[in-house]
Amino acid sequence: MSVPLLLPLLLPLLLPLHGIGGRQDLPVPFGLAVGGAAVAVALSFVILGVAWRTPKYRGNASGVPLPAAISRVIDASWFRWLVRLFGLATFLYAMVSLLFGVDRLTNPIFGFIYILVWVGLVPISLLFGPVWRTLNPLRTLHLLLSKLLRQAPSKGLLELPSWVGLWPAALGIFAFAWLELVAPDRATIPVLQAWIALYVVITMFGAVLFGDRWFAQGDPFEAYATLMARLSPWGRRTDGRLVARRPLENLDGLRPRPGLVGLVSALLGSTAYDGFSNSSAWIGWAQDQDISMTWLGTAALIVFILFVLVTYSGATILAGRLSDSSRTALPGLFAHSLVPIVFGYVVAHYLTLFILEGQRTLIYLSDPLSNGANIFGTGLLAVNTGITNHSATIAVVQVAAVVFGHLLGVISAHDRAVALFPRAKALAGQLPLLVVMVGYTCGGLLLLFSS
């Protein structure tokens, strides 16, 4: 997700993401690019079927232990508190802009929430693993409150039912997508204040009720970051040791739980809607209707998320029938294969936005009250827009990111299939998933270059 529907409001301050690198910038015809992408995904399935006949990933049981000195520092209480306080201080500093900054588009809180935090969660999680669990300012506030009350942070007033799983976080992802892409007057301070206030109250109230496990299950930012961290090379082995492992092997350790499919579907569906909502066909049609854009946008966002949920779940259930598998939880068992696809879409949609507007936000953050000055001295900082001179390269990167994400998804699904399905029918069982992934590849590229 990003703020492309905010972009018309933010011009000329923001540079439209989809204006950098279009289908006309591709070195080959767009139809050929889409067809080639579909063939690449299908061909990878054939190659894997011939060369990859037994499971190769061991998930959380795998990994090479990090040097003892590094592990001691990362696990040290002082280091964890240093990271926690850094996250809390950054959050409180940004909140100055939210509470006391002027209601205009130079206020850095927009870029802080929508770009540095939301989009920035992905590179942070890839580089450092599940670090957001420690950086999370609300988790730190809850920990400090627990210490003040002299009770364990895991202790709550109620026990969180196991069936709840990640459904609260999935709903939170939908709520954030709605704020960014649909909500009226979303580029105003009062609307953002209301959303952040609701988020803080619900998250902290949940932590008081259910203990700190609520953050992993109910905080959309932490759930998203933890999911993306599964694509990093860092993790913990089943014996608790910090280890380095292959990213897809790390991903293989993602434990299926209630709401996981819903969470991934919300991420993938909202990103797809992001591209669709910028298409001239949708904008032109919606403006001709008597129904408000808010209702139309809300309905379309829900449809996109449900489309991913239904098509993916249907494909995995059909895969079980074709492979004569007796397992009933196949959607959750294969959900990890969608995570690389989410990553590919994030790179394709938001890389240039993150690079360009991330710089601008950092400059604005030097003046949290947006009064026209900055602590570094006016005129000393400027946004480097050199990336805009390489639209052809950006277009190629966008296509490559989508295709690469789907290729990694096919590999992850194949390894899981040969581990779960009878060997003689493992390949046939994957056909429904292959069809869905090829469809996602073509659809993703069409939506990405639909503007």
Side-chain angles (χ1 to χ4, degrees), residues 1-18 103 105 107 109-115 118 176-189 191-192 273-274 277-278 283 350 353 357:
M1 297 177 297
S2 75
V3 287
L5 286 188
L6 283 174
L7 294 177
L9 301 173
L10 297 177
L11 287 173
L13 299 172
L14 296 182
L15 186 60
L17 171 64
H18 297 292
D103 189 9
L105 298 176
N107 192 316
I109 193 60
F110 296 110
F112 179 80
I113 297 296
Y114 295 133
I115 298 171
W118 187 248
F176 191 77
W178 185 85
L179 169 72
E180 288 187 300
L181 306 174
V182 179
D185 299 323
R186 54 197 174 275
T188 61
I189 290 296
V191 171
L192 192 56
Y273 170 74
D274 181 356
S277 65
N278 283 277
I283 294 173
Y350 315 131
L353 180 72
E357 300 312 323

Side-chain angles (χ1 to χ4, degrees), residues 44-226:
S44 68
F45 168 77
V46 176
I47 295 173
L48 288 170
V50 174
W52 196 312
R53 296 179 179 272
T54 58
K56 301 183 184 300
Y57 296 145
R58 296 186 300 122
N60 294 333
S62 66
V64 178
L66 297 181
I70 295 178
S71 296
R72 279 197 300 269
V73 171
I74 293 176
D75 287 334
S77 177
W78 65 266
F79 182 77
R80 289 181 174 274
W81 274 108
L82 188 65
V83 176
R84 289 187 186 111
L85 293 177
F86 173 78
L88 181 60
T90 303
F91 173 75
L92 294 177
Y93 180 77
M95 290 305 101
V96 171
S97 302
L98 182 66
L99 298 176
F100 307 110
V102 296
D103 189 9
R104 64 187 184 202
L105 298 176
T106 54
N107 192 316
I109 193 60
F110 296 110
F112 179 80
I113 297 296
Y114 295 133
I115 298 171
L116 295 186
V117 173
W118 187 248
V119 181
L121 282 175
V122 175
I124 288 175
S125 300
L126 291 178
L127 289 174
F128 303 109
V131 69
W132 187 257
R133 178 183 173 88
T134 308
L135 274 172
N136 189 341
L138 298 189
R139 186 183 277 271
T140 300
L141 285 173
H142 177 258
L143 181 58
L144 291 171
L145 179 63
S146 299
K147 287 185 175 295
L148 183 65
L149 298 177
R150 297 184 178 180
Q151 67 179 31
S154 59
K155 184 179 179 181
L157 301 176
L158 300 172
E159 185 69 25
L160 188 62
S162 59
W163 58 264
V164 172
L166 292 168
W167 283 113
L171 290 174
I173 295 293
F174 170 78
F176 191 77
W178 185 85
L179 169 72
E180 288 187 300
L181 306 174
V182 179
D185 299 323
R186 54 197 174 275
T188 61
I189 290 296
V191 171
L192 192 56
Q193 284 175 338
W195 196 95
I196 295 295
L198 266 176
Y199 160 69
V200 171
V201 169
I202 293 173
T203 304
M204 295 302 291
F205 186 66
V208 170
L209 279 182
F210 305 113
D212 61 359
R213 65 177 297 188
W214 173 257
F215 292 102
Q217 297 179 230
D219 185 339
F221 297 102
E222 183 165 319
Y224 180 32
T226 301

Side-chain angles (χ1 to χ4, degrees), residues 221-433:
F221 297 102
E222 183 165 319
Y224 180 32
T226 301
L227 202 64
M228 290 295 103
R230 279 291 176 177
L231 287 173
S232 79
W234 318 113
R236 285 193 184 271
R237 213 163 51 188
T238 49
D239 60 5
R241 292 287 301 275
L242 283 168
V243 297
R245 58 168 70 105
R246 293 174 293 179
L248 288 187
E249 191 146 41
N250 201 4
L251 181 64
D252 186 68
L254 181 63
R255 181 170 62 89
R257 59 196 307 187
L260 176 60
V261 177
L263 176 66
V264 179
S265 298
L267 289 167
L268 195 55
S270 59
T271 307
Y273 170 74
D274 181 356
F276 173 74
S277 65
N278 283 277
S279 66
S280 55
W282 162 255
I283 294 173
W285 178 84
Q287 288 177 344
D288 290 337
Q289 306 306 308
D290 294 331
I291 306 173
S292 73
M293 282 293 292
T294 301
W295 285 106
L296 288 174
T298 302
L301 177 61
I302 293 173
V303 166
F304 269 85
I305 293 174
L306 288 178
F307 176 81
V308 175
L309 180 65
V310 171
T311 54
Y312 164 76
S313 298
T316 53
I317 292 171
L318 183 57
R321 293 185 177 181
L322 291 176
S323 61
D324 293 335
S325 174
S326 60
R327 294 177 179 268
T328 59
L330 288 178
L333 289 168
F334 280 92
H336 71 299
S337 65
L338 294 182
V339 176
I341 300 176
V342 174
F343 167 68
Y345 279 26
V346 168
V347 173
H349 280 259
Y350 315 131
L351 177 62
T352 52
L353 180 72
F354 182 70
I355 292 173
L356 291 171
E357 300 312 323
Q359 297 177 66
R360 198 185 313 274
T361 300
L362 289 174
I363 294 173
Y364 289 161
L365 275 172
S366 67
D367 172 28
L369 298 179
S370 306
N371 58 17
N374 66 69
I375 61 176
F376 301 107
T378 303
L380 290 180
L381 298 176
V383 175
N384 184 343
T385 60
I387 191 174
T388 61
N389 299 323
H390 305 282
S391 58
T393 301
I394 293 170
V396 171
V397 169
Q398 289 174 320
V399 173
V402 172
V403 175
F404 184 65
H406 283 84
L407 290 176
L408 293 182
V410 169
I411 294 172
S412 297
H414 178 79
D415 188 79
R416 183 61 55 87
V418 296
L420 296 178
F421 297 158
R423 184 170 181 177
K425 296 188 176 182
L427 207 58
Q430 295 176 68
L431 288 174
L433 281 170

